[in-house]
Amino acid sequence: MGKPVTPAHQSPTSRLIAGLAITLAVVGAFCFYALHQIAGLRQLQNQIIESNRKDSLQLLRIQNNLSALGLAIRDMLNGDEPYPLYAWDAQFDRIRKDMTDALRLEAELKPAGENLDRQVYLTRTLSQFWISTDQIFTLARNSQESQARALLRNSLQAQQATLVNAVSRLLVENNETQQRTAARVGVIYDGVERQIYWLLVAALFAISGTSLMLIRANRTIFREIEQLSDQRSGLARKLITMQEELFRSISRELHDEFGQMLTAVGAMISRTRRRNCPPELTADLDEIRAAAQQALDKTRSLSQALHPAILDDGGLEEAIDWYLSVFERQTGIHVDLKKSGVGGELGDEMPIHVYRVLQEALNNLARHSKSAEAWVRVNFSHDRLLMEVEDRGVGLEFEGLEPRRRGMGMIAMRERAELLHGTIEFSRPEAGGTLVRLDVPLNAEQS
Amino acid sequence: MRLLWAVPAVALVLFAAEPGFRLVDVTRQAGISFVHNNGAFGGKYLPETLGSGGAFLDFDQDGWQDILLVNGADWPGHKTRRTTMSLYRNNHNGTFTDVTRAAGLDIEMYGMGVAAGDFNNDGFPDLFITAVGQSRLFQNSGKGTFIDVTERSQIAGHSGLSTSAIWFDYDRDGKLDLFVSNYVKWSEAQDVFCSLDGKHKSYCTPEAYRGSSNWLFHNRGDGTFEDVTAKSGIFDSTSKSLGVAMLDYDHDGWPDLFVANDTQPNKLYRNRHDGTFQDVAVEAGVAFSEDGKARAGMGVDSADYENSGYPGIAVTNFDGEMIGLYRGSQAGNYADVALNSGVGKASRRSLGFGCFFFDANLDGLLELLVVNGHIDDTVRNIQPGVRYEQPPHLFVNIGKQGFYDAAPAVGSGFAEPKVGRGAAFGDFDNDGDLDVLVTTSHGAAHLYRNDLIAPKQSLRFRMVGTKSNRDAIGAVVRVYYGSHYASLMVKSGSSYLSQSELPVTFGLGEQTKVDRVVAEWPSGLTETLPSLSVGRYVWTEGHGAKIDKTKPN
């Protein structure tokens, strides 16, 4: 029997709550971290990558225009169009408007400080380009075609090439910025990835810790329950043993003492009557002797009920035979007994418990089954005793494998079976009714 | 929003699928046997994919629309036959007679498009035939013949791959000027080897060639023209133009031009009243598609298809690009409403060329006709879902609900897939409704007679300028009755390589009278006619309208 337990003292609730709190805190902290990182990424993408992309689009627009200007300059110099140079004025004007718009948008998109020198350089060079363009078209309009053509060849073409280079450099720088940003984004992603692994480890630890605590607490609880159960069983067995000892002692006392005394009283009355009993007392003496005999019968009967002497004298098998005849007589229920095997040495404890189980099973049968017939099968093998009590009555109501209503009798039967290290089962046979099956080992040491 | 349009459009297609007219192919019975020759011999020259156009014109001024069909020719070194353009004179009985030779037009040239206009104001329409190489100007003698005045008019010396052309009086001096679209810088000598499989030559896309500036010729009034391309601001060496239409997009009374460019931004030339133009296509929203892409603009027409007083624009594009249908506004800004109006989705898989607005069912709302056909006869091998021959579209105008394609419902002959290129309309039988001429690449031309299911009324004006150019090109006629309003402009050009008749026809449905008709002449004169009965009229500038006495057949 274990020590008395104080479950409140060892309650795992506080530790479990602490574990849960740690887990939640880890997840919460990570969520905050992840959201923070995502916000940072978004900002990075919006502010740098997106504006960079839009900026590059504008630069491409400018480059596209520069390429159109380059083609136009080439056409102008080729001289295969039958038109004077100023014919290209409208074309240049259209491109100029588009470039001015693109440059304005580009300047708006570019973050302050970045590529500032190159930006200024581009604006200045472009401005110079348009000044030269205006000069060329003015010369062309004033019939100074050859000067205009010379300026076109010597200056504007070179300026166009310079502008193409400047825009290309800006595009390259944008691309580099893009790559740098992509690398930064990569670092952030790596960080987030690492943090996810850390979170996983931390969460794993927290969950494992909490689980271990839970397992430990469970084990403690189960052990305590087991101890309590053992204590209860021990008490029950002790009670049953004590009860049987008490019954046996009372039975013996009744049989030996009261029986002897009442037998002596009867013998003395008989003797008195035979010797010198006046005739007027004969009738009284007979009455007294009858009363003494009745008291003797009652005493014997009570003694048998408390502990059948036949169990000690004739053994279990005879006791069963005797009890079944009594049961049949008292209840009118016919009992069909089948015995097989040979009962060997059963020890001191076993017969009374098996007998009590049979007694309780038949009592239940008589009280509840409404069956007119019962079958009792007793089988001895070299190591087991199997006893079955069966009827075709109303049967027990079951909840799973256990009868729904369990009275003290049933609990006592189970305790007795456990006392004998055996098992007892209650079941409903296919044909209906109730089957009680007691299975006990014969060579087990009795507690 | 798209759905809101779609529901009534679908409902109307289901319940009002009867367009109210049929287009009956009368080519053979009319005596038109024209077959286009693109000269293809396997060299896969770019111009082979483009031609050619046709026109309705009354060359003999008998009040009956005649037909001119432009033809290509065999390439030098690959001559197998002689092909020329064809001029068909209207016999006033539903048939035509080929008078090409008699008219002096049996001239072999690789022709593309045609613009008919009375540039010398003698009362007879002259012809400008665009071509690969030198385009030609033919002056109408008034005696049934044409004289090649290319040299004399000083238009000679302009060689190019010219496409659509238009007569219009941009400086409003009463003399028709000429705008000529050019596609790319191409010549046999400059031909590029393009291939889809790396082995066999295929037709090049315009990206393979440099653009070519369009030309503007100012009519000096003495039979000669001055090339004002440079000083008018029209010059643009990046242009790859195929179609041109005139309109007054900013409602200032001065003719503006819309030029459809292939793979380059379209141009909208605003007339600055001083002999120069400014391209405002980007600002007006017509240069690119809604997603900012320069599409493959082919044909174009402009008309007040919403009866709002503000002309809209239709531009045909490559397959996969949809037609651009631009809705006009008072401010002169445009929005592409093709998708919402039911025109976009229906034209998504078509490669459109000729297109024009006309009131086919005379219900007072302008329909949009579009002819389609791919440029590559082997397209099926590359794009299994796309065919070389494609059915045309006839988008019937159902007012606020937009358009639905009624091509299959107006006659099986019309809806038959063909390699459509040019398209024009004209009332060749003088029955009050508008008939259709369609040309195909390397195939037959088709004349479709419009047969209305139930009689409808129309009001038709042949405008004659006195102070304005004789053809009254640029005159706007506005008709008012009840709460209804409609307007039409007398136009040359439009569509693709083609020209429709000059008279304007208003469909009136059951209406037999209109309350008021106003003409705004290019000279600046505004003339109003009160209460007019339906019918055909000749309206002479400053002298009001008189009933056209030409008898219908």
Side-chain angles (χ1 to χ4, degrees), chain B residues 293-307:
Chain B
K293 186 181 161 229
R295 291 189 276 194
M298 308 286 184
V300 57
D301 193 23
S302 171
D304 179 11
Y305 72 88
E306 289 187 314
N307 291 336

Side-chain angles (χ1 to χ4, degrees), chain A residues 61 68-69 71-76 78 80-95 97-98 101 141, chain B residues 157-158 185 210-217 227-231 233-238 265 267 272 277-279 282-283:
Chain A
R61 186 177 163 195
L69 286 171
L71 286 173
I73 293 170
R74 187 200 58 191
D75 288 348
M76 289 163 89
N78 270 354
D80 57 0
E81 291 283 354
Y83 299 108
L85 285 182
Y86 70 79
W88 275 267
D89 197 2
Q91 202 168 321
F92 270 64
D93 194 48
R94 179 171 56 79
I95 295 171
K97 272 187 197 153
D98 197 60
D101 185 52
R141 278 184 200 285
Chain B
H158 289 81
K185 283 194 178 2
R210 285 161 60 195
S212 177
S213 179
N214 299 315
W215 300 319
L216 180 62
F217 296 101
D227 182 347
V228 291
T229 308
K231 71 177 182 191
I234 288 290
F235 181 85
D236 189 326
S237 57
T238 65
K267 297 274 196 294
R272 294 206 284 203
F277 289 85
Q278 182 190 11
D279 176 19
V282 175
E283 297 93 305

Side-chain angles (χ1 to χ4, degrees), chain A residues 33 74 110 120 124 135 141 282 299 309 332 394 403 441 443 445:
Chain A
Y33 168 80
R74 187 200 58 191
K110 197 83 221 160
V120 171
R124 202 175 293 151
Q135 264 181 310
R141 278 184 200 285
T282 306
T299 303
V394 293
N443 49 2
E445 278 184 28

